[in-house]
Amino acid sequence: MRFDQHTVVLLVRPPDPPELPLDAVDRLQDAHLAHQAGLVEQGAVLAAGPCLGADDERLHGFAVLSVDPEMARELYANDPAVRAGRLVAQVMSWMVPEGNVRFEQVPVPRSMLEAASGD
């Protein structure tokens, strides 16, 4: 059997993220979304989104990438939320039977306002 290999990034809240005022957290989230959208536009990110209802409440987001794990580490080291210490990127390879998962190019939000608009 053949397998497709993808790179997965789990975005995890560290045990001691820096405390920031709410407006700074909002700006950081918008910067994170803009960074993520840029990675989608570049073709590096195939799919990404927040984790909801996880057994581990530290899990914040999940992304599947078309690049190797080392490149994924570099890309997420530049994520504003990672640089600010609010998130940590955990990188791994994910294998699925060949052709089992397909990704479509769809627009992703570049800000919380855009995400909330539902368009």
Side-chain angles (χ1 to χ4, degrees), residues 49-62:
C51 295
L52 305 173
D55 289 337
D56 184 341
E57 63 189 34
R58 296 172 302 146
L59 292 177
H60 178 73
F62 177 88

Side-chain angles (χ1 to χ4, degrees), residues 55-83:
D55 289 337
D56 184 341
E57 63 189 34
R58 296 172 302 146
L59 292 177
H60 178 73
F62 177 88
V64 181
L65 288 84
S66 64
V67 300
D68 64 62
E70 190 55 39
M71 177 57 75
R73 285 181 185 89
E74 289 178 31
L75 294 172
Y76 277 88
N78 290 317
D79 184 301
V82 172
R83 284 195 331 252

Side-chain angles (χ1 to χ4, degrees), residues 14-66:
D16 56 350
E19 292 293 324
L20 297 173
L22 187 55
D23 63 324
V25 171
D26 289 345
R27 285 191 307 273
L28 193 56
Q29 182 65 15
D30 281 349
H32 162 72
L33 290 175
H35 178 263
Q36 187 93 317
L39 296 178
V40 169
E41 290 165 3
Q42 294 171 26
V45 169
L46 300 171
C51 295
L52 305 173
D55 289 337
D56 184 341
E57 63 189 34
R58 296 172 302 146
L59 292 177
H60 178 73
F62 177 88
V64 181
L65 288 84
S66 64

